Amino acid sequence: MLAQNGVNSVRTRVSSTYVLAILVVVGLALRGPLVRAVEGSPRWQTAVTIFAGVFVQAVPFLVFGVLVSGLIAALVSPELLRKVLPRNRSAAIGVAGLAGAALPGCECGVVPVARRLADQGAPSAAALAFMLSAPAINPVVLVATAVAFPGEPGMVAARFTGSLATAVVMGLIWSRIGRPGWMLARRGRHDHEGIGRSRWEVFTEAARHDLLQAGAFLVLGAAAAAALRVLVPPSWYEHLAGRMVLAVLVLAILAIVLALCSEADAFVAASMSTLPLLPRLVFLVVGPAVDVKLFAMQAGSFGRGFAARFAPLTFVVAVACGTVAGLIFLGGAR
């Protein structure tokens, strides 16, 4: 039994802690061949540019997120969460969704925060609602959307409403259909809150753990986004004007593939000027909720079984909520 536990411990450590370091070492060791391959291929150059863009955009917010995660581990007790969150399950989900407006950051940084909230005793559905709302309705994202779409205040209102509705609806659905066995077991408090340990020690260990784990899966997700990006011809969306349903579906899928940071995606959507506002709005609602890098990070934080169930359902809900919000605030086809 002890031997088996030791093997499982080693496997967990390798998969969650050392993946990032291994990838960095391999990259440095193969630097010469990689540079020559990139220089000789425009496709590789594009892929590297996309990878670097996704990774560099996300890292500051990831660091911010794990710092918040560490503070939650050190300062927020299950007792405090139980006092702050309403006892009514639906009300707790609504409060958690609205609380996302107070945390500037992108979807990469909020995944470890949501994991920590669940570990500290928050209902999993409320933690997931917060995870979906924070990167989409915070002030930084809304201001960026207003700047990217000058003269279109309806885009800001529609993005806020569609994204908040996605978070709350997903929280309510998960509270009814979610099963504990679909998620990795919550880390026990002894992982970061051992007896006699200072809050600083708890904070640094929790932040280090979450940074290495989330960073490793961010690398994998950014690599997947780069690989998929080079396969999508940039002229595709130019042929979608006038085909509203098809445009909505294609841009929703494109949001998953491009895996843009929520602080920057509004400017990409604004550049698709040949398309109506509605499909571009769906692009902005879907992107922060589900994309390839988020799937990888959620699989690392909550388990592959969770991600395989949560991501497809989130996609359907986000498309529906984004479309309804667009019909209300944008008049549908503009």
Side-chain angles (χ1 to χ4, degrees):
M1 179 67 70
L2 290 176
Q4 184 178 359
N5 290 338
V7 171
N8 290 337
S9 176
V10 170
R11 287 177 179 171
T12 301
R13 290 177 183 176
V14 170
S15 63
S16 64
T17 305
Y18 294 132
V19 170
L20 180 59
I22 291 172
L23 291 174
V24 171
V25 170
V26 171
L28 291 174
L30 300 177
R31 179 176 178 274
L34 289 175
V35 169
R36 288 192 294 271
V38 169
E39 290 178 346
S41 172
R43 276 179 168 263
W44 272 106
Q45 291 176 1
T46 301
V48 169
T49 300
I50 297 303
F51 174 86
V54 171
F55 187 80
V56 171
Q57 278 183 337
V59 163
F61 300 104
L62 176 63
V63 172
F64 176 74
V66 298
L67 291 177
V68 174
S69 173
L71 289 173
I72 291 174
L75 303 177
V76 179
S77 66
E79 292 76 16
L80 178 60
L81 282 176
R82 282 192 286 270
K83 291 179 181 178
V84 172
L85 289 175
R87 293 186 178 182
N88 180 273
R89 182 173 55 185
S90 299
I93 292 170
V95 169
L98 287 171
L103 181 64
C106 76
E107 55 272 23
C108 303
V110 80
V111 173
V113 175
R115 174 76 249 193
R116 186 65 57 193
L117 287 171
D119 290 344
Q120 295 296 85
S124 60
L128 296 176
F130 176 82
M131 181 180 72
L132 293 175
S133 69
I137 68 171
N138 70 72
V140 176
V141 169
L142 297 180
V143 169
T145 304
V147 172
F149 291 90
E152 294 288 353
M155 280 295 287
V156 180
R159 182 172 195 180
F160 176 88
T161 303
S163 297
L164 179 60
T166 299
V168 173
V169 170
M170 277 302 302
L172 293 173
I173 292 175
W174 198 259
S175 69
R176 294 182 178 276
I177 71 170
R179 300 290 181 268
W182 292 353
M183 300 175 67
L184 291 177
R186 292 179 176 179
R187 303 169 193 138
R189 294 186 64 187
H190 62 276
D191 289 341
H192 303 301
E193 300 182 84
I195 298 176
R197 304 184 63 185
S198 68
R199 287 182 173 178
W200 173 251
E201 290 174 324
V202 173
F203 165 76
T204 54
E205 182 177 345
R208 177 195 60 80
H209 178 278
D210 289 343
L211 177 62
L212 289 174
Q213 182 184 61
F217 284 96
L218 174 60
V219 169
L220 297 177
L228 292 172
R229 174 67 178 270
V230 298
L231 301 176
V232 179
S235 60
W236 275 21
Y237 66 83
E238 296 178 0
H239 302 290
L240 298 176
R243 303 176 182 179
M244 187 63 67
V245 175
L246 183 61
V248 166
L249 293 176
V250 169
L251 259 68
I253 295 172
L254 194 62
I256 297 175
V257 172
L258 296 184
L260 297 172
C261 180
S262 59
E263 268 81 9
D265 58 1
F267 298 97
V268 175
S271 69
M272 303 175 186
S273 56
T274 58
L275 291 177
L277 290 178
L278 178 58
R280 288 188 278 172
L281 170 66
V282 173
F283 176 86
L284 296 179
V285 173
V286 171
V290 54
D291 61 35
V292 290
K293 74 176 185 299
L294 268 178
F295 181 87
M297 295 180 70
Q298 290 172 2
S301 295
F302 295 97
R304 288 189 296 270
F306 164 83
R309 294 175 173 89
F310 188 77
L313 183 58
T314 302
F315 174 78
V316 174
V317 172
V319 171
C321 291
T323 300
V324 172
L327 293 173
I328 294 173
F329 290 96
L330 303 175
R334 287 194 308 115

